[in-house]
């Protein structure tokens, strides 16, 4: 199922983009299987929270592993100050677990994109819910978060998904 998406935080991007429904899945490999897209054309977003309740989403290629220490350095905090964001915290940002998006309704968040995310082309990423993903040009996605940081926060595997 594909339909134009023009509401919520991503609606501020101006032009509609496809919102693709799929079964409730949270694993990047399962999302790719449901959508029929390669893992390398996905951006997964892992959400963390700091002790002062600031949301820190980390956006990286779907086949990569997060380097937690590098994320903490990019956010200007200690590694021990990063905790996974719970469902209540994500709900305040307009998202649910399993559908985290780098763009949210939380204007105090500090998004960190891995430096490899900025390549050209369209990507699939969470749209705020675990039963849908968006397809969007990666430059438009990154432009939606002008205050985001970019850093080397991912380990990219030589071959195969992680």
């Amino acid at each position: 199922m594909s339909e134009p998406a023009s509401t919520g935080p991503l609606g501020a991007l101006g032009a509609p983009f496809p919102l693709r429904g799929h079964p409730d899945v949270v694993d990047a490999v399962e999302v790719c299987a449901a959508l029929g897209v390669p893992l390398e054309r996905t951006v997964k977003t892992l959400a963390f929270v700091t002790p002062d309740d600031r949301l820190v989403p980390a956006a990286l290629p779907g086949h990569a592993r997060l380097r937690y220490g590098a994320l903490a350095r990019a956010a200007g905090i200690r590694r021990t100050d990063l905790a996974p964001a719970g469902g209540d915290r994500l709900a305040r940002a307009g998202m649910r677990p399993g559908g985290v998006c780098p763009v949210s309704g939380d204007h105090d968040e500090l998004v960190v994109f891995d430096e490899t995310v900025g390549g050209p082309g369209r990507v699939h990423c969470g749209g705020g819910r675990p039963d849908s993903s968006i397809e969007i040009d990666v430059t438009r996605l990154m432009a939606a978060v002008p205050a985001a940081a970019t850093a080397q926060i991912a380990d990219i595997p030589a071959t195969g998904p992680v």
Side-chain angles (χ1 to χ4, degrees), residues 57-74:
L60 57 154
H63 63 297
R65 288 192 181 184
L66 179 64
R67 296 173 54 223
Y68 292 90
L71 173 63
R73 282 188 299 281

Side-chain angles (χ1 to χ4, degrees), residues 74-132:
I77 59 176
R78 296 177 308 171
R79 164 62 183 103
T80 55
D81 287 340
L82 281 176
D88 289 345
R89 181 63 184 91
L90 289 174
R92 291 197 329 259
M95 297 182 282
R96 293 186 2 219
V100 178
C101 180
V103 182
S104 79
D106 187 329
H107 301 291
D108 191 40
E109 73 180 358
L110 172 61
V111 179
V112 180
F113 283 96
D114 182 68
E115 62 187 15
T116 61
V117 170
R122 296 185 75 73
V123 294
H124 295 264
C125 70
R129 302 175 3 188
D131 64 351
S132 60

